[in-house]
Amino acid sequence: MSATPSASEPEDQEPGERAAEAESGDAGDAGDAGDAGDTGAGPRSRATSQEKQQKGASHAPTPTGAPAARPAGLQITEPKPVRTATLWAALAAGVLSMLLLGEGIGVNLLIVAVPVTLAAYFAAMTAGRRPRAWTLVWGVGGLALLTVPALRDASWPSFLAVVAAIGAGSLALHGGRGWLAVLLGPIGVLTAVVTGPAWAWEGLRQRSGGLRERLGPVLRALAVAAVLLVVFGALFAAADSAFADLLGALVPDVSVADGPWRILLLLLGLGGALAVAYIAAAPVHWDRIEVPEGRARGRVEWSLPLIVLNLLFAAFNAIQLAVLFGGYDAVLEKTGQTYAEYARQGFWQLLLATLLTLLVIVLALRWAPRTRSGDRTLVRGVLGTLCALALVVVASAVRRMDMYVEAYGLTRLRLSVLAVELWLGLVIVLIMAAGVWGARWLPRAVAASAAAGVLAFGLVSPDGLIAERTVQRYEETGVIDLEYASGLSADAVPALDRLEEPLRSCALRAVAADLDERRLPWYAVSRGETEARRILDERPVSTQSDTVECERLGNEVMYR
C-alpha cells in the first residue's frame, strides 16, 4: 500500500522544520493514497508518529499571542513577531472597510482585498514561506471570484462567489492537498479571528517604545495633510460645482448616525486582515490529522452489493437509451403523463441518485480490499463501471431538465440545480481519472473545479441568461411569465429591453423603480447596474404601465 505526501507541503514549513524533519526521517506523510483504493496513512506505525510529534512539540517555542494548547500534529509552525508592514496593511484594510463597505458590495471588495493580501504576504515572508504554484492558483482564484460582485447586480451569484473566495483563500493560506485541508480550511479562518488580533496586540506591546517615536512624525504629517485637504477641498468645492460633484462622488458619505456601523466595519476589516496574516504566519496543517483507516472487507462482501447496483444502473440506463432513440411519445402515451410532468418527475430523483452514487463510492473506497494487485484491479473495475453508468444518469437528468425548461421556462432554481448536476458529473469524471492516474491530486482538483464553476456561473450572468431565454421563449411561443421576469435584477435589463411595449415597461418597471431609489457611490455599483441605468436613461419605462394594467397583461401572456 503506497502513501503520498500530506497536504502539509514542504513549502509551507519553516526552513528549520524541514531540516529537523529530514534528520528524523519524518517527512510528514499523512496518506493521500496514490491509488484510488488506497486510503491508508502509510507504513509508519501510529505510535512512532505520535512519539515524533510529541518530541517536536516539546522543543517548539510557545506561540506569541496564541493559545499554547493545540491538538498534537495539527499546528507545526509558530508565528514570529508581527511586522510593522503587516500592521499597517491590516490597518489600511480596516479603514477601507469602514469607508467603502457601508453602502453595499462591488469593486470595493477588491479594493479591500489588496491590503488584506499584502498583510498575508508580509506575514508569510517573515515566517519564511514562499508562494508556490498552488498557492498562487488559490490566491488568484479567490481574487477573481471577488470580481463577480463588481460585474453582476444579482446578489445570489455574488454570495456564492464570496463564499467560494473564502474557501480558496483558506487553501492559499493553509496549504494542503488532502480532503481535510479542503473541508476544514475555512474553519481555520474563523478560529484565527481570535488568535490573530491577540498575536498583533502582543507584537505591539513588545515594540511599543520605539513605535511611539516612529509613529509620532507620521501621525503629525497625516493630521496636517487631513487639515489641508479639508480646507482647500471645501474652498474648491464652493468655487466650482463640477468639482464639488466629483468630490462628492469620490468621498464616502459618512454621517454621525451610522457611526456605530462604521466602527463595526473598521473592527471587522482590521480583525479579518490580522486573522489572515496570522494564518499566513502560522498555517494549520489539517492533513496532519490521522483519520482511522476503514477495515478492508473481503472481495465478495465488498463487491457483490456494488455489482448488483451496477446491474440496476445498467437496466435503468438501457431504458433511458430506448426512450431516447424510440421517442418520448410512446412513453408519454403509455404512462399518461404530459411532456413536462415526465421531465419534472425524473430530474430530482436523478439528482439525488447522483449524490448517493458519490456517497457509495466514498464508502466503498474506505472498505475496499487493497492487499493484493488483484484487489486493486477489482476496485478499479467495479467502481469504474459504476462511475460510467452514473454519467449516463447525469446525462439523463440534464436532458430532463432541458425538457422542463422547454415547457415552463428557465428560472433561478432550475438553472442552479442544473449547474450543480453538471458539476457532479465533472466530479465523477475526476474520480474515474483518479482511478487510473492516482488520487493524490483529486481533492485539490475537485475544489478547483468547484471554485471555477462558481466563477463561471457568476461571469455568465445568471439573471441575464434567464431573461435571454425568457425573451427567446416569448418570441417563439408568445408565452411569458411576466411576474417572474419583473422580479429579476438589473442584469436582466439588456435582454428584457428587447420586448415590445407595453410588455417591456411592465417587465422593467420594478427594476427602474429600484434603481431610482438606490443611489450608491461608484465603488458599490456593479457593471450590471451601470449598464441597466444607461439603457433605462435612453429608453425610460412608460408611465402608463401601472400595476393593474401590467397584472392584466401578465395573465394574458401567461396562459395563451
Side-chain angles (χ1 to χ4, degrees), residues 237-373:
D240 190 287
S241 59
F243 181 80
D245 292 339
L246 175 63
L247 196 63
L250 294 177
V251 178
D253 184 14
V254 180
S255 62
V256 178
D258 61 356
W261 171 236
R262 298 287 180 175
I263 293 176
L264 178 61
L265 289 175
L266 170 65
L267 296 177
L268 290 176
L270 179 61
L274 291 175
V276 168
Y278 178 82
I279 298 173
V284 179
H285 296 272
W286 298 102
D287 287 338
R288 291 291 177 101
I289 300 176
E290 294 186 3
V291 178
E293 189 178 86
R295 184 172 66 88
R297 307 291 177 174
R299 288 190 178 185
V300 176
E301 182 183 2
W302 177 87
S303 62
L304 182 59
L306 294 179
I307 292 175
V308 172
L309 183 61
N310 281 338
L311 293 176
L312 178 62
F313 268 68
F316 176 81
N317 291 337
I319 294 176
Q320 297 304 298
L321 294 175
V323 171
L324 178 63
F325 291 107
Y328 290 95
D329 294 337
V331 176
L332 299 180
E333 181 179 354
K334 183 177 181 180
T335 60
Q337 293 178 313
T338 64
Y339 188 75
E341 288 173 345
Y342 179 76
R344 179 173 54 188
Q345 177 194 38
F347 175 79
W348 298 104
Q349 289 86 341
L350 296 181
L351 176 62
L352 180 59
T354 306
L355 291 170
L356 290 178
T357 301
L358 290 175
L359 179 61
V360 168
I361 293 172
V362 171
L363 296 177
L365 283 174
R366 181 171 177 80
W367 293 311
R370 47 186 174 265
T371 56
R372 293 173 293 180
S373 60

Side-chain angles (χ1 to χ4, degrees), residues 116-130:
V116 173
T117 305
L118 289 176
Y121 175 77
F122 294 141
M125 293 298 101
T126 303
R129 299 180 66 189
R130 296 295 182 267

Side-chain angles (χ1 to χ4, degrees), residues 105-110 141-165 451-462 491 525-529:
I105 59 173
V107 71
N108 47 11
L109 278 181
L110 278 173
L143 293 176
L145 285 162
L146 293 181
T147 63
V148 174
L151 298 175
R152 303 301 170 216
D153 180 65
S155 58
W156 58 298
S158 296
F159 172 77
L160 293 175
V162 171
V163 172
V454 172
L455 178 60
F457 190 74
L459 293 181
V460 298
S461 181
D491 297 329
V525 176
S526 64
R527 182 178 179 276
E529 179 179 338

Side-chain angles (χ1 to χ4, degrees), residues 158-523:
S158 296
F159 172 77
L160 293 175
V162 171
V163 172
I166 294 174
S170 69
L171 286 172
L173 294 169
H174 290 292
R177 62 166 57 91
W179 290 111
L180 289 177
V182 172
L183 298 176
L184 301 181
I187 297 178
V189 178
L190 296 178
T191 58
V193 173
V194 177
T195 55
W199 167 63
W201 178 253
E202 183 66 23
L204 280 174
R205 289 182 57 187
Q206 293 178 358
R207 65 182 67 189
S208 58
L211 189 62
R212 291 195 194 101
E213 298 177 358
R214 293 194 297 269
L215 280 181
V218 176
L219 293 178
R220 288 192 293 270
L222 290 176
V224 173
V227 171
L228 294 176
L229 287 175
V230 170
V231 172
F232 285 95
L235 291 175
F236 290 148
D240 190 287
S241 59
F243 181 80
D245 292 339
L246 175 63
L247 196 63
L250 294 177
V251 178
D253 184 14
V254 180
S255 62
V256 178
D258 61 356
W261 171 236
R262 298 287 180 175
I263 293 176
L264 178 61
L265 289 175
L266 170 65
L267 296 177
L268 290 176
L270 179 61
L274 291 175
V276 168
Y278 178 82
I279 298 173
V284 179
H285 296 272
W286 298 102
D287 287 338
R288 291 291 177 101
I289 300 176
E290 294 186 3
V291 178
E293 189 178 86
R295 184 172 66 88
R297 307 291 177 174
R299 288 190 178 185
V300 176
E301 182 183 2
W302 177 87
S303 62
L304 182 59
L306 294 179
I307 292 175
V308 172
L309 183 61
N310 281 338
L311 293 176
L312 178 62
F313 268 68
F316 176 81
N317 291 337
I319 294 176
Q320 297 304 298
L321 294 175
V323 171
L324 178 63
F325 291 107
Y328 290 95
D329 294 337
V331 176
L332 299 180
E333 181 179 354
K334 183 177 181 180
T335 60
Q337 293 178 313
T338 64
Y339 188 75
E341 288 173 345
Y342 179 76
R344 179 173 54 188
Q345 177 194 38
F347 175 79
W348 298 104
Q349 289 86 341
L350 296 181
L351 176 62
L352 180 59
T354 306
L355 291 170
L356 290 178
T357 301
L358 290 175
L359 179 61
V360 168
I361 293 172
V362 171
L363 296 177
L365 283 174
R366 181 171 177 80
W367 293 311
R370 47 186 174 265
T371 56
R372 293 173 293 180
S373 60
D375 293 333
R376 291 190 288 272
T377 302
L378 176 66
V379 169
R380 290 191 181 99
V382 174
L383 293 184
T385 303
L386 181 59
C387 288
L389 294 173
L391 287 178
V392 180
V393 173
V394 171
S396 178
V398 171
R399 174 54 185 153
R400 292 197 185 214
M401 178 52 71
D402 185 54
M403 295 166 56
Y404 194 34
V405 170
E406 288 179 4
Y408 290 106
L410 190 62
T411 64
R412 289 172 172 175
L413 177 61
R414 294 163 195 167
L415 180 60
S416 300
V417 296
L418 179 59
V420 170
E421 181 70 22
L422 290 173
W423 177 70
L424 291 176
L426 176 59
V427 171
I428 293 175
V429 172
L430 293 176
I431 291 174
M432 296 175 67
V436 178
W437 292 296
R440 181 180 181 182
W441 51 269
L442 182 60
R444 290 195 291 200
V446 171
S449 67
V454 172
L455 178 60
F457 190 74
L459 293 181
V460 298
S461 181
D463 276 14
L465 181 61
I466 293 169
E468 185 71 28
R469 289 294 300 268
T470 299
V471 173
Q472 181 181 357
R473 181 167 176 261
Y474 171 73
E475 293 172 348
E476 295 174 353
T477 65
V479 177
I480 184 175
D481 189 344
L482 191 59
E483 181 179 0
Y484 189 87
S486 63
L488 297 174
S489 66
D491 297 329
V493 171
L496 297 178
D497 184 59
R498 290 165 30 202
L499 290 171
E500 58 189 15
E501 292 289 358
L503 277 178
R504 174 189 176 275
S505 293
C506 288
L508 298 178
R509 187 167 57 93
V511 176
D514 179 63
L515 292 180
D516 287 339
E517 296 177 0
R518 181 176 50 177
R519 293 293 177 181
L520 300 177
W522 62 272
Y523 48 80

Side-chain angles (χ1 to χ4, degrees), residues 79-103:
K80 293 184 178 180
V82 61
R83 285 179 58 183
T84 304
T86 302
L87 294 174
W88 279 114
L91 180 61
V95 173
L96 289 175
S97 298
M98 178 184 67
L99 296 178
L100 303 182
L101 297 182
E103 290 81 10

